[in-house]
Amino acid sequence: MTESSTTPQRPELPAAWQPSEVEAELYQGWVDRGYFTADVTSDKPPFTIVLPPPNVTGSLHMGHALNHSVMDALTRRRRMQGYEVLWLPGMDHAGIATQNAVERDLANNGLSRNDLGREKFVARVWEWKEEYGGKILDQMRRLGDGIDWSRERFTMDEGLSRAVQTIFKKMFDDGLIYRAERIINWCPRCQTALSDIEVEHSDDDGELVSIRYGDGAASIVVATTRAETMLGDTAVAVHPDDERYAHLIGTEVEVPLTGRRVPIVADTHVDPKFGTGAVKVTPAHDPNDFEIGRRHDLPNLAVMDGRGVITVNGPFLGLDRFEARPAIVAALRDQGRIVAEKRPYVHSVGHCERCGTVVEPRLSLQWWVKVEGIAKAAGDAVRDGRTTVHPAELGKRYFDWVDNLHDWCISRQLWWGHRIPVWYGPAGEVVCVGPDEQPPSGDGWRQDEDVLDTWFSSGLWPFSTLGWPDKTADLAKFYPTSVLSTGYDILFFWVTRMMMFGLYAMDEVQPFDHVYLHGLIRDANGKKMSKSRGNGIDPLAWIDSYGADATRFTLLRGANPGSDLAVAEEWAAGARNFTTKLWNATRFALSNGATVDRPLPAREALTDADRWILDLLDGLVADVDGQFEAFQFAKLSEALYHFTWDEFCDWYLELAKVQIAEGGERAEATQSVLGHVLDVVLRLLHPLTPFITETLWKTLTGGESLVVSEWPKATGAERDLVAAERIEGLKKLVTEIRRFRSDQGLRPTQKVAGKVRGACCVDLLDQVPSVKALTRLTEPGDDFAVSASIEVGLPKGAVTVELDTSGTIDVVAERKRMTKDLAVAEKDRAQCEGKLNNPSFTDKAPADVVAKIQARLAAANADIERLNARIAALPEAK
């Protein structure tokens, strides 16, 4: 039997990488073979990430794509390193967003939630969720997320609902949950309280009106952007050190239009430099005023209902807040109370994230979490190193937040969500019911109408998804989780809540060991992406056009910890070019006999080029490992990019081709090195670009899958500095010869007779065959005549390259081309000199503009000198 009939043939790679044809099949194959399913019985060390649960209403956007690329890279590497990896997926019920979506759907049929009633409406939301929710999970597959789909969770599934009820009961019994009237963010359209993260602030045009309260020497002027709230003023406040008002502190002043007299109080919250230094105090309609009111025992006078309609008897009764504002200003103007009006006055205004309605601060009876003790625990966990924040500088922001955290409003006036497990009795009884307890029944008993803030249930995510409050095997194996990766914009709103809940529920064990905070995605001009600007980019469109690998690599290459990332489509196209380069390099290597079937030869049997690339590869492995541990995705991506493109593809492949062409043992050694380097590079790139590396690696090695292959380890061997110096000398020599050939008008593929002199003096004699092969220099014949030469300086001396270009270039055409280029350069020089010699330009133009003209002049002079030298060196035309 012949050798060819017994040796298995490697499949041939197609001429081009077509990601759309293979990505879906590759991904499903990984899932079907259970590569992403964590084994709780394994004795491997655990590595856990719980996916920040996207809204059930959501779809994949660039922020998701970045964060998921980060998490997938982390989990794929750990899996290859021998960890038992759990990347747990799930979705958030997203109370207000989902309820709004269903209400819009009902409105299309002329219905409202009140037409259905609570029970039927909630049933309709569940139906909507099953039909339309969760499309983002399918989109995550397209990105390549290596997620354990067998453990998918939902913040309102049975287990997580039990966890919510359990912790609510425990905190209620411990006095950490209470009900009280406080100022909250209120959406008059959605008719619910909002968390801070559900309020989007924008700079809006408004008005700043200065109003005189009182008369004569006892009068005082206040400035406000919300004149309608003056109907609820219960004081005027000034700073205690403001000498202008010292004589008024403790006196009373009349609030215009109301006839009500209110005290003038001293409070350090007042900024003497803002407006007149005096502020109206409306405790029922402003959070800062509410705190002033508490300090000075002021009454809370509500003047608007939940729809933003004035409720105070008088001429403004029944007006919408935005109708009341100009009406009140007009009435004050008629009374001569308006001292100044500034329009437009640009100031920050909060809007409901879901519907865009201007948010109204409102005094409301709500449920709250007392955070003082659990917030301190969340701060201590980072201070003592149990949890590490990356980048470290964001740790200060974390402490600024948890050290000054206010009690958290957890109730929402919605129907979709975890209903608050509190019942009220006919005699004023209040009973909190745990998950294994029966609620009270009988006449007069009713459950609280409100539901819990979505962030309450998602705050339990790191441990509720693993089975808490039960002591499950998953919880024992995979908690605490290893890494939380998320955007820095929700550090305060979500991360701190998970830290507080985790430490409280899990006996002071932190919910994660590391918190990695990435930046926000911005457009190429650094602008925040938004629908209103029309500058958003759909990652699925990039995946369609360039493939998932190019999309991921684009994002990871810009992912510096804590820094925002600007992206543009041309960068995705550049990443696709990188995947194309990798594809073509692998095809080239395979066609030149690259193999992983043989062990690497001993170092002494290798060429300088072989030892050089192996040393660079070992350094790359160590570098990538270190950058992974530091969450420096941009740096490790850059290292992989430049090694693969610059060193491996542009240099080693070309050198290897020359060595393989020589045949014999040297060729076999180089084929082994070539295969080994490619094998390691594909392993290192796999966490970043899983699809193309899987395809190439399986073709190269015949292995099962990169997903379950072994992560490379650096040997730490001492570098061969002699080999490195020789190859760097070769690279410089080749680069200078290529540049010189180009200057001489030779085409890149055009062969020309040449001699290399002095190579022995600089220790490059063994490299001459490679130099000549890479620069298309042929052996000189008997008729060799030097028509051009170049001297290349190297650390140990100079090498001279002599060329016989006779008959290889069209002297007349080349002289004509260079003369034309010379004229362009001389014209540019004249223009630059004209500007720089003109004082009216140099004295008035910005420094950076002058510097650019100076740089243009220097470049033009260099071009003129180079072109004159080349023209002079041209032989006479025959």
mmCIF file of all heavy atoms in Angstrom, residues 645-687:
data_model
loop_
_atom_site.group_PDB
_atom_site.id
_atom_site.type_symbol
_atom_site.label_atom_id
_atom_site.label_comp_id
_atom_site.label_asym_id
_atom_site.label_seq_id
_atom_site.Cartn_x
_atom_site.Cartn_y
_atom_site.Cartn_z
ATOM 1 N N TRP A 645 0.465 40.018 11.785
ATOM 2 C CA TRP A 645 0.580 40.693 10.498
ATOM 3 C C TRP A 645 2.035 41.050 10.179
ATOM 4 O O TRP A 645 2.556 40.700 9.111
ATOM 5 C CB TRP A 645 -0.279 41.962 10.504
ATOM 6 C CG TRP A 645 -0.456 42.582 9.140
ATOM 7 C CD1 TRP A 645 0.522 43.041 8.320
ATOM 8 C CD2 TRP A 645 -1.687 42.784 8.440
ATOM 9 N NE1 TRP A 645 -0.006 43.531 7.156
ATOM 10 C CE2 TRP A 645 -1.354 43.388 7.195
ATOM 11 C CE3 TRP A 645 -3.022 42.538 8.741
ATOM 12 C CZ2 TRP A 645 -2.338 43.733 6.260
ATOM 13 C CZ3 TRP A 645 -3.997 42.891 7.804
ATOM 14 C CH2 TRP A 645 -3.652 43.482 6.581
ATOM 15 N N ASP A 646 2.694 41.743 11.125
ATOM 16 C CA ASP A 646 4.007 42.311 10.832
ATOM 17 C C ASP A 646 5.131 41.281 10.860
ATOM 18 O O ASP A 646 5.951 41.225 9.933
ATOM 19 C CB ASP A 646 4.328 43.432 11.825
ATOM 20 C CG ASP A 646 3.313 44.561 11.774
ATOM 21 O OD1 ASP A 646 2.612 44.674 10.757
ATOM 22 O OD2 ASP A 646 3.212 45.321 12.756
ATOM 23 N N GLU A 647 5.174 40.484 11.923
ATOM 24 C CA GLU A 647 6.313 39.581 12.081
ATOM 25 C C GLU A 647 6.096 38.239 11.382
ATOM 26 O O GLU A 647 6.941 37.772 10.638
ATOM 27 C CB GLU A 647 6.607 39.357 13.575
ATOM 28 C CG GLU A 647 6.732 40.626 14.394
ATOM 29 C CD GLU A 647 7.897 41.513 13.962
ATOM 30 O OE1 GLU A 647 8.668 41.117 13.069
ATOM 31 O OE2 GLU A 647 8.022 42.617 14.524
ATOM 32 N N PHE A 648 4.912 37.639 11.627
ATOM 33 C CA PHE A 648 4.675 36.308 11.084
ATOM 34 C C PHE A 648 4.363 36.350 9.588
ATOM 35 O O PHE A 648 5.038 35.691 8.790
ATOM 36 C CB PHE A 648 3.524 35.643 11.846
ATOM 37 C CG PHE A 648 3.217 34.249 11.368
ATOM 38 C CD1 PHE A 648 4.135 33.224 11.524
ATOM 39 C CD2 PHE A 648 2.004 33.960 10.760
ATOM 40 C CE1 PHE A 648 3.856 31.936 11.077
ATOM 41 C CE2 PHE A 648 1.714 32.687 10.320
ATOM 42 C CZ PHE A 648 2.639 31.671 10.467
ATOM 43 N N CYS A 649 3.346 37.137 9.209
ATOM 44 C CA CYS A 649 2.932 37.141 7.797
ATOM 45 C C CYS A 649 3.934 37.854 6.900
ATOM 46 O O CYS A 649 4.337 37.324 5.851
ATOM 47 C CB CYS A 649 1.557 37.786 7.659
ATOM 48 S SG CYS A 649 0.228 36.864 8.445
ATOM 49 N N ASP A 650 4.330 39.057 7.292
ATOM 50 C CA ASP A 650 5.165 39.865 6.405
ATOM 51 C C ASP A 650 6.613 39.397 6.347
ATOM 52 O O ASP A 650 7.298 39.636 5.334
ATOM 53 C CB ASP A 650 5.124 41.331 6.835
ATOM 54 C CG ASP A 650 3.828 42.007 6.438
ATOM 55 O OD1 ASP A 650 3.000 41.347 5.780
ATOM 56 O OD2 ASP A 650 3.631 43.184 6.789
ATOM 57 N N TRP A 651 7.095 38.741 7.410
ATOM 58 C CA TRP A 651 8.509 38.358 7.414
ATOM 59 C C TRP A 651 8.730 36.859 7.489
ATOM 60 O O TRP A 651 9.343 36.276 6.605
ATOM 61 C CB TRP A 651 9.236 39.067 8.570
ATOM 62 C CG TRP A 651 9.446 40.509 8.286
ATOM 63 C CD1 TRP A 651 8.790 41.560 8.837
ATOM 64 C CD2 TRP A 651 10.357 41.079 7.325
ATOM 65 N NE1 TRP A 651 9.223 42.747 8.305
ATOM 66 C CE2 TRP A 651 10.193 42.484 7.375
ATOM 67 C CE3 TRP A 651 11.289 40.544 6.452
ATOM 68 C CZ2 TRP A 651 10.933 43.352 6.567
ATOM 69 C CZ3 TRP A 651 12.034 41.402 5.646
ATOM 70 C CH2 TRP A 651 11.855 42.793 5.704
ATOM 71 N N TYR A 652 8.211 36.234 8.548
ATOM 72 C CA TYR A 652 8.595 34.829 8.705
ATOM 73 C C TYR A 652 8.078 33.951 7.580
ATOM 74 O O TYR A 652 8.798 33.048 7.112
ATOM 75 C CB TYR A 652 8.140 34.271 10.055
ATOM 76 C CG TYR A 652 8.624 32.844 10.223
ATOM 77 C CD1 TYR A 652 9.980 32.581 10.423
ATOM 78 C CD2 TYR A 652 7.756 31.766 10.105
ATOM 79 C CE1 TYR A 652 10.453 31.281 10.517
ATOM 80 C CE2 TYR A 652 8.220 30.463 10.205
ATOM 81 C CZ TYR A 652 9.565 30.224 10.409
ATOM 82 O OH TYR A 652 10.041 28.939 10.483
ATOM 83 N N LEU A 653 6.869 34.162 7.116
ATOM 84 C CA LEU A 653 6.360 33.328 6.027
ATOM 85 C C LEU A 653 7.252 33.414 4.794
ATOM 86 O O LEU A 653 7.511 32.410 4.120
ATOM 87 C CB LEU A 653 4.930 33.735 5.662
ATOM 88 C CG LEU A 653 3.807 33.305 6.612
ATOM 89 C CD1 LEU A 653 2.458 33.740 6.056
ATOM 90 C CD2 LEU A 653 3.810 31.793 6.814
ATOM 91 N N GLU A 654 7.720 34.618 4.522
ATOM 92 C CA GLU A 654 8.585 34.792 3.354
ATOM 93 C C GLU A 654 9.933 34.104 3.568
ATOM 94 O O GLU A 654 10.484 33.458 2.660
ATOM 95 C CB GLU A 654 8.790 36.284 3.084
ATOM 96 C CG GLU A 654 7.534 37.030 2.697
ATOM 97 C CD GLU A 654 6.937 36.524 1.398
ATOM 98 O OE1 GLU A 654 7.710 36.161 0.490
ATOM 99 O OE2 GLU A 654 5.708 36.475 1.287
ATOM 100 N N LEU A 655 10.474 34.246 4.757
ATOM 101 C CA LEU A 655 11.746 33.585 5.066
ATOM 102 C C LEU A 655 11.588 32.071 5.068
ATOM 103 O O LEU A 655 12.463 31.330 4.579
ATOM 104 C CB LEU A 655 12.267 34.063 6.414
ATOM 105 C CG LEU A 655 12.656 35.545 6.489
ATOM 106 C CD1 LEU A 655 12.933 35.955 7.934
ATOM 107 C CD2 LEU A 655 13.875 35.817 5.615
ATOM 108 N N ALA A 656 10.459 31.600 5.624
ATOM 109 C CA ALA A 656 10.215 30.156 5.663
ATOM 110 C C ALA A 656 10.112 29.582 4.252
ATOM 111 O O ALA A 656 10.598 28.471 3.986
ATOM 112 C CB ALA A 656 8.941 29.868 6.447
ATOM 113 N N LYS A 657 9.491 30.331 3.361
ATOM 114 C CA LYS A 657 9.347 29.856 1.982
ATOM 115 C C LYS A 657 10.712 29.622 1.345
ATOM 116 O O LYS A 657 10.930 28.618 0.647
ATOM 117 C CB LYS A 657 8.544 30.875 1.171
ATOM 118 C CG LYS A 657 8.231 30.425 -0.242
ATOM 119 C CD LYS A 657 7.380 31.464 -0.949
ATOM 120 C CE LYS A 657 7.053 31.009 -2.368
ATOM 121 N NZ LYS A 657 6.225 32.021 -3.081
ATOM 122 N N VAL A 658 11.646 30.539 1.609
ATOM 123 C CA VAL A 658 13.010 30.381 1.072
ATOM 124 C C VAL A 658 13.674 29.146 1.665
ATOM 125 O O VAL A 658 14.314 28.359 0.961
ATOM 126 C CB VAL A 658 13.840 31.647 1.372
ATOM 127 C CG1 VAL A 658 15.283 31.462 0.918
ATOM 128 C CG2 VAL A 658 13.222 32.860 0.691
ATOM 129 N N GLN A 659 13.532 28.954 2.989
ATOM 130 C CA GLN A 659 14.175 27.820 3.655
ATOM 131 C C GLN A 659 13.571 26.498 3.222
ATOM 132 O O GLN A 659 14.286 25.496 3.048
ATOM 133 C CB GLN A 659 14.062 28.004 5.176
ATOM 134 C CG GLN A 659 14.849 29.212 5.682
ATOM 135 C CD GLN A 659 14.648 29.522 7.147
ATOM 136 O OE1 GLN A 659 15.260 30.434 7.682
ATOM 137 N NE2 GLN A 659 13.793 28.777 7.819
ATOM 138 N N ILE A 660 12.254 26.475 3.035
ATOM 139 C CA ILE A 660 11.604 25.238 2.610
ATOM 140 C C ILE A 660 12.014 24.875 1.195
ATOM 141 O O ILE A 660 12.167 23.686 0.855
ATOM 142 C CB ILE A 660 10.074 25.380 2.733
ATOM 143 C CG1 ILE A 660 9.689 25.441 4.222
ATOM 144 C CG2 ILE A 660 9.351 24.222 2.055
ATOM 145 C CD1 ILE A 660 8.246 25.827 4.456
ATOM 146 N N ALA A 661 12.227 25.887 0.363
ATOM 147 C CA ALA A 661 12.626 25.633 -1.032
ATOM 148 C C ALA A 661 13.988 24.953 -1.114
ATOM 149 O O ALA A 661 14.292 24.275 -2.108
ATOM 150 C CB ALA A 661 12.630 26.937 -1.819
ATOM 151 N N GLU A 662 14.801 25.116 -0.055
ATOM 152 C CA GLU A 662 16.124 24.470 -0.062
ATOM 153 C C GLU A 662 16.023 22.951 0.098
ATOM 154 O O GLU A 662 16.938 22.209 -0.282
ATOM 155 C CB GLU A 662 16.981 25.035 1.070
ATOM 156 C CG GLU A 662 17.296 26.520 0.931
ATOM 157 C CD GLU A 662 18.075 27.045 2.124
ATOM 158 O OE1 GLU A 662 18.459 26.218 2.988
ATOM 159 O OE2 GLU A 662 18.302 28.269 2.193
ATOM 160 N N GLY A 663 14.902 22.465 0.664
ATOM 161 C CA GLY A 663 14.711 21.032 0.842
ATOM 162 C C GLY A 663 15.533 20.467 1.983
ATOM 163 O O GLY A 663 16.246 21.178 2.691
ATOM 164 N N GLY A 664 15.421 19.175 2.212
ATOM 165 C CA GLY A 664 16.216 18.480 3.209
ATOM 166 C C GLY A 664 15.739 18.712 4.628
ATOM 167 O O GLY A 664 14.599 19.105 4.884
ATOM 168 N N GLU A 665 16.623 18.460 5.590
ATOM 169 C CA GLU A 665 16.269 18.553 6.999
ATOM 170 C C GLU A 665 15.904 19.977 7.404
ATOM 171 O O GLU A 665 15.028 20.196 8.237
ATOM 172 C CB GLU A 665 17.431 18.053 7.858
ATOM 173 C CG GLU A 665 17.672 16.553 7.718
ATOM 174 C CD GLU A 665 18.780 16.067 8.626
ATOM 175 O OE1 GLU A 665 19.357 16.924 9.352
ATOM 176 O OE2 GLU A 665 19.074 14.865 8.630
ATOM 177 N N ARG A 666 16.585 20.951 6.808
ATOM 178 C CA ARG A 666 16.267 22.338 7.136
ATOM 179 C C ARG A 666 14.825 22.663 6.761
ATOM 180 O O ARG A 666 14.105 23.323 7.511
ATOM 181 C CB ARG A 666 17.225 23.284 6.436
ATOM 182 C CG ARG A 666 16.819 24.749 6.580
ATOM 183 C CD ARG A 666 17.816 25.702 5.984
ATOM 184 N NE ARG A 666 18.973 25.859 6.860
ATOM 185 C CZ ARG A 666 19.899 26.809 6.712
ATOM 186 N NH1 ARG A 666 19.793 27.668 5.711
ATOM 187 N NH2 ARG A 666 20.921 26.900 7.533
ATOM 188 N N ALA A 667 14.388 22.172 5.634
ATOM 189 C CA ALA A 667 13.015 22.423 5.185
ATOM 190 C C ALA A 667 12.025 21.780 6.138
ATOM 191 O O ALA A 667 11.017 22.395 6.515
ATOM 192 C CB ALA A 667 12.824 21.899 3.769
ATOM 193 N N GLU A 668 12.308 20.523 6.540
ATOM 194 C CA GLU A 668 11.397 19.855 7.468
ATOM 195 C C GLU A 668 11.332 20.582 8.807
ATOM 196 O O GLU A 668 10.256 20.704 9.416
ATOM 197 C CB GLU A 668 11.849 18.407 7.672
ATOM 198 C CG GLU A 668 11.635 17.518 6.453
ATOM 199 C CD GLU A 668 11.935 16.052 6.755
ATOM 200 O OE1 GLU A 668 12.307 15.759 7.915
ATOM 201 O OE2 GLU A 668 11.788 15.225 5.850
ATOM 202 N N ALA A 669 12.473 21.069 9.283
ATOM 203 C CA ALA A 669 12.493 21.811 10.547
ATOM 204 C C ALA A 669 11.655 23.081 10.433
ATOM 205 O O ALA A 669 10.870 23.406 11.326
ATOM 206 C CB ALA A 669 13.931 22.145 10.931
ATOM 207 N N THR A 670 11.821 23.772 9.337
ATOM 208 C CA THR A 670 11.066 25.014 9.145
ATOM 209 C C THR A 670 9.578 24.736 9.024
ATOM 210 O O THR A 670 8.748 25.505 9.542
ATOM 211 C CB THR A 670 11.569 25.753 7.899
ATOM 212 O OG1 THR A 670 12.945 26.102 8.097
ATOM 213 C CG2 THR A 670 10.761 27.015 7.638
ATOM 214 N N GLN A 671 9.202 23.651 8.360
ATOM 215 C CA GLN A 671 7.784 23.294 8.265
ATOM 216 C C GLN A 671 7.191 23.030 9.651
ATOM 217 O O GLN A 671 6.042 23.389 9.934
ATOM 218 C CB GLN A 671 7.609 22.076 7.363
ATOM 219 C CG GLN A 671 7.842 22.371 5.893
ATOM 220 C CD GLN A 671 7.942 21.118 5.051
ATOM 221 O OE1 GLN A 671 8.353 20.047 5.548
ATOM 222 N NE2 GLN A 671 7.608 21.228 3.775
ATOM 223 N N SER A 672 7.980 22.423 10.520
ATOM 224 C CA SER A 672 7.514 22.181 11.886
ATOM 225 C C SER A 672 7.370 23.489 12.656
ATOM 226 O O SER A 672 6.400 23.695 13.399
ATOM 227 C CB SER A 672 8.483 21.248 12.625
ATOM 228 O OG SER A 672 8.507 19.966 12.026
ATOM 229 N N VAL A 673 8.359 24.370 12.517
ATOM 230 C CA VAL A 673 8.280 25.661 13.189
ATOM 231 C C VAL A 673 7.083 26.452 12.672
ATOM 232 O O VAL A 673 6.325 27.041 13.444
ATOM 233 C CB VAL A 673 9.584 26.462 12.984
ATOM 234 C CG1 VAL A 673 9.419 27.890 13.513
ATOM 235 C CG2 VAL A 673 10.743 25.768 13.670
ATOM 236 N N LEU A 674 6.906 26.438 11.362
ATOM 237 C CA LEU A 674 5.794 27.160 10.750
ATOM 238 C C LEU A 674 4.456 26.659 11.300
ATOM 239 O O LEU A 674 3.581 27.448 11.674
ATOM 240 C CB LEU A 674 5.854 26.990 9.234
ATOM 241 C CG LEU A 674 4.843 27.751 8.380
ATOM 242 C CD1 LEU A 674 4.913 29.238 8.652
ATOM 243 C CD2 LEU A 674 5.109 27.458 6.901
ATOM 244 N N GLY A 675 4.303 25.345 11.369
ATOM 245 C CA GLY A 675 3.073 24.768 11.900
ATOM 246 C C GLY A 675 2.883 25.086 13.369
ATOM 247 O O GLY A 675 1.773 25.400 13.816
ATOM 248 N N HIS A 676 3.973 25.023 14.133
ATOM 249 C CA HIS A 676 3.886 25.295 15.568
ATOM 250 C C HIS A 676 3.475 26.744 15.828
ATOM 251 O O HIS A 676 2.596 27.006 16.662
ATOM 252 C CB HIS A 676 5.242 25.018 16.223
ATOM 253 C CG HIS A 676 5.319 25.430 17.660
ATOM 254 N ND1 HIS A 676 4.748 24.722 18.685
ATOM 255 C CD2 HIS A 676 5.889 26.536 18.238
ATOM 256 C CE1 HIS A 676 4.955 25.341 19.830
ATOM 257 N NE2 HIS A 676 5.647 26.448 19.590
ATOM 258 N N VAL A 677 4.115 27.675 15.137
ATOM 259 C CA VAL A 677 3.797 29.088 15.346
ATOM 260 C C VAL A 677 2.343 29.355 14.990
ATOM 261 O O VAL A 677 1.609 30.027 15.731
ATOM 262 C CB VAL A 677 4.737 29.991 14.528
ATOM 263 C CG1 VAL A 677 4.297 31.455 14.632
ATOM 264 C CG2 VAL A 677 6.175 29.838 14.989
ATOM 265 N N LEU A 678 1.900 28.820 13.875
ATOM 266 C CA LEU A 678 0.517 29.035 13.449
ATOM 267 C C LEU A 678 -0.459 28.418 14.451
ATOM 268 O O LEU A 678 -1.492 29.014 14.782
ATOM 269 C CB LEU A 678 0.315 28.436 12.061
ATOM 270 C CG LEU A 678 -0.963 28.817 11.324
ATOM 271 C CD1 LEU A 678 -1.125 30.321 11.242
ATOM 272 C CD2 LEU A 678 -0.958 28.207 9.929
ATOM 273 N N ASP A 679 -0.127 27.247 14.941
ATOM 274 C CA ASP A 679 -0.962 26.589 15.951
ATOM 275 C C ASP A 679 -1.128 27.480 17.182
ATOM 276 O O ASP A 679 -2.238 27.719 17.672
ATOM 277 C CB ASP A 679 -0.305 25.254 16.323
ATOM 278 C CG ASP A 679 -1.011 24.529 17.463
ATOM 279 O OD1 ASP A 679 -2.222 24.764 17.658
ATOM 280 O OD2 ASP A 679 -0.352 23.733 18.158
ATOM 281 N N VAL A 680 -0.026 28.015 17.689
ATOM 282 C CA VAL A 680 -0.082 28.846 18.893
ATOM 283 C C VAL A 680 -0.820 30.156 18.618
ATOM 284 O O VAL A 680 -1.634 30.612 19.445
ATOM 285 C CB VAL A 680 1.340 29.119 19.421
ATOM 286 C CG1 VAL A 680 1.307 30.134 20.566
ATOM 287 C CG2 VAL A 680 1.990 27.811 19.885
ATOM 288 N N VAL A 681 -0.551 30.764 17.482
ATOM 289 C CA VAL A 681 -1.224 32.020 17.150
ATOM 290 C C VAL A 681 -2.730 31.817 17.074
ATOM 291 O O VAL A 681 -3.510 32.629 17.584
ATOM 292 C CB VAL A 681 -0.681 32.591 15.829
ATOM 293 C CG1 VAL A 681 -1.596 33.705 15.297
ATOM 294 C CG2 VAL A 681 0.725 33.132 16.019
ATOM 295 N N LEU A 682 -3.166 30.741 16.472
ATOM 296 C CA LEU A 682 -4.604 30.477 16.364
ATOM 297 C C LEU A 682 -5.220 30.238 17.737
ATOM 298 O O LEU A 682 -6.348 30.660 18.009
ATOM 299 C CB LEU A 682 -4.855 29.286 15.446
ATOM 300 C CG LEU A 682 -4.506 29.504 13.967
ATOM 301 C CD1 LEU A 682 -4.648 28.200 13.180
ATOM 302 C CD2 LEU A 682 -5.391 30.583 13.356
ATOM 303 N N ARG A 683 -4.490 29.562 18.618
ATOM 304 C CA ARG A 683 -4.993 29.369 19.991
ATOM 305 C C ARG A 683 -5.128 30.716 20.718
ATOM 306 O O ARG A 683 -6.111 30.979 21.408
ATOM 307 C CB ARG A 683 -4.056 28.452 20.775
ATOM 308 C CG ARG A 683 -4.045 27.005 20.307
ATOM 309 C CD ARG A 683 -2.964 26.226 21.048
ATOM 310 N NE ARG A 683 -2.686 24.940 20.425
ATOM 311 C CZ ARG A 683 -3.180 23.787 20.855
ATOM 312 N NH1 ARG A 683 -3.966 23.755 21.909
ATOM 313 N NH2 ARG A 683 -2.869 22.657 20.240
ATOM 314 N N LEU A 684 -4.092 31.569 20.573
ATOM 315 C CA LEU A 684 -4.121 32.861 21.249
ATOM 316 C C LEU A 684 -5.228 33.764 20.712
ATOM 317 O O LEU A 684 -5.834 34.542 21.462
ATOM 318 C CB LEU A 684 -2.769 33.567 21.092
ATOM 319 C CG LEU A 684 -1.562 32.931 21.792
ATOM 320 C CD1 LEU A 684 -0.292 33.681 21.426
ATOM 321 C CD2 LEU A 684 -1.745 32.901 23.303
ATOM 322 N N LEU A 685 -5.491 33.668 19.428
ATOM 323 C CA LEU A 685 -6.515 34.510 18.818
ATOM 324 C C LEU A 685 -7.924 33.976 19.037
ATOM 325 O O LEU A 685 -8.895 34.723 18.898
ATOM 326 C CB LEU A 685 -6.262 34.634 17.313
ATOM 327 C CG LEU A 685 -5.223 35.655 16.863
ATOM 328 C CD1 LEU A 685 -4.878 35.454 15.392
ATOM 329 C CD2 LEU A 685 -5.723 37.077 17.097
ATOM 330 N N HIS A 686 -8.042 32.698 19.374
ATOM 331 C CA HIS A 686 -9.369 32.087 19.447
ATOM 332 C C HIS A 686 -10.347 32.809 20.377
ATOM 333 O O HIS A 686 -11.507 33.023 19.992
ATOM 334 C CB HIS A 686 -9.259 30.613 19.848
ATOM 335 C CG HIS A 686 -10.593 29.940 19.952
ATOM 336 N ND1 HIS A 686 -11.378 29.654 18.859
ATOM 337 C CD2 HIS A 686 -11.292 29.522 21.043
ATOM 338 C CE1 HIS A 686 -12.502 29.087 19.262
ATOM 339 N NE2 HIS A 686 -12.474 28.996 20.577
ATOM 340 N N PRO A 687 -9.960 33.208 21.592
ATOM 341 C CA PRO A 687 -10.939 33.899 22.442
ATOM 342 C C PRO A 687 -11.475 35.189 21.825
ATOM 343 O O PRO A 687 -12.580 35.608 22.141
ATOM 344 C CB PRO A 687 -10.136 34.193 23.720
ATOM 345 C CG PRO A 687 -9.065 33.152 23.739
ATOM 346 C CD PRO A 687 -8.687 32.967 22.307
#
